[in-house]
Amino acid sequence: MRIQLLAGNSTQQIMRQHVKQAEERIATGTADRDCFLKPQDIRNMAQKLAKLTWKLHDNEAQSVRLFYQEHSDAVFTYMEECPGQSVAAQAADSTHSVNSAQPAGTKQASDSTTAPQHQVAQKFVMGWTTSFLLRNLLKYGKGSLVLLDARFGANHLKMPLYTGLVIDEFNNGVPCFMLVCQGVSQPEITKWLEALLQKARSEDPDWMCTCVMVDDVIAEINAIK
């Protein structure tokens, strides 16, 4: 079955061939548990094989890093998650610096309240546009409309998946880029939109769309402005 899937056979084709072979084995009395293969078993195997084509490492962060290294020409923005120093630690460092600068014999007033513990971090983002997708953007997006849609909950990490579309001559929406990220604030969206614009202008210095259509998300609207 693995060889058939790798050869490009569909679930229906494999199932028809399997049923024929199973009937022959049942008729000759040589049937075993493999004869009771179900379509779902084939789909499960196909899913595992498909996963091997894009999962380059058991560690997800390393897998994404390897993907970026192998396809850096198609990636227009990439930034790894980088946990920063906590606000509490930063406050402690600042207090230590102040105390060190004070004359001997003076005491720094202490604050009994605990500083917040949230992290100041660099958030993950990766956007890519293949040569085909970029041609769509350059051809149909220049002086025209670009549609931007964010889909939440499309992966187990709950990161939004952004998809860019342009309208071709047949009034069909065709993809022009995709991006997955952690941050959805205005500054973060602005950064990768500027990176996308720079990617387009590296091929066509005069490229610019006339309008970007989004759903009702104020951060996206402000970033586009």
Side-chain angles (χ1 to χ4, degrees):
M1 181 175 63
R2 181 188 179 96
I3 296 176
Q4 292 172 302
L5 287 169
L6 291 174
N9 293 323
S10 67
T11 301
Q12 292 78 9
Q13 291 173 325
I14 296 174
M15 199 64 199
R16 281 196 297 268
Q17 185 176 356
H18 169 74
V19 169
K20 183 179 180 180
Q21 294 174 349
E23 289 175 346
E24 293 175 355
R25 296 181 66 176
I26 292 173
T28 57
T30 58
D32 56 18
R33 60 179 297 178
D34 292 337
C35 293
F36 301 97
L37 184 73
K38 297 180 179 180
Q40 186 60 45
D41 298 323
I42 301 175
R43 286 191 286 268
N44 290 341
M45 176 61 74
Q47 186 177 12
K48 289 181 180 179
L49 290 175
K51 191 175 183 179
L52 293 175
T53 63
W54 56 262
K55 188 172 184 179
L56 306 177
H57 196 278
D58 289 336
N59 180 279
E60 290 183 336
Q62 181 64 15
S63 180
V64 172
R65 189 177 298 112
L66 291 173
F67 177 88
Y68 166 69
Q69 293 171 354
E70 292 183 10
H71 306 281
S72 58
D73 56 332
V75 176
F76 62 86
T77 182
Y78 175 73
M79 191 175 293
E80 295 184 3
E81 180 182 4
C82 181
Q85 191 179 29
S86 68
V87 174
Q90 290 180 358
D93 289 345
S94 177
T95 302
H96 176 72
S97 299
V98 172
N99 288 338
S100 299
Q102 287 181 344
T106 60
K107 293 184 179 180
Q108 175 70 22
S110 60
D111 188 355
S112 58
T113 60
T114 303
Q117 295 295 323
H118 67 274
Q119 298 289 321
V120 178
Q122 174 179 288
K123 296 183 179 179
F124 168 78
V125 58
M126 184 173 73
W128 63 96
T129 175
T130 64
S131 57
F132 170 74
L133 298 180
L134 184 58
R135 284 197 301 270
N136 289 339
L137 180 63
L138 297 174
K139 181 178 180 180
Y140 302 115
K142 184 175 183 179
S144 187
L145 175 69
V146 175
L147 298 92
L148 181 62
D149 177 68
R151 185 177 184 87
F152 292 82
N155 51 78
H156 71 281
L157 296 175
K158 306 301 181 184
M159 293 186 188
L161 173 65
Y162 284 88
T163 304
L165 298 173
V166 287
I167 308 300
D168 65 10
E169 63 267 28
F170 304 105
N171 284 329
N172 294 320
V174 292
C176 56
F177 74 88
M178 301 189 79
L179 179 137
V180 62
C181 62
Q182 287 179 300
V184 293
S185 67
Q186 177 188 336
E188 290 158 339
I189 296 174
T190 300
K191 278 186 179 180
W192 60 257
L193 280 176
E194 290 176 346
L196 177 64
L197 179 61
Q198 184 177 358
K199 178 72 173 180
R201 288 185 172 175
S202 67
E203 299 290 334
D204 181 358
D206 297 325
W207 188 92
M208 176 58 74
C209 63
T210 56
C211 180
V212 179
M213 181 179 291
V214 299
D215 48 13
D216 189 18
V217 178
I218 193 63
E220 295 175 6
I221 296 172
N222 291 336
I224 293 167
K225 290 179 179 178

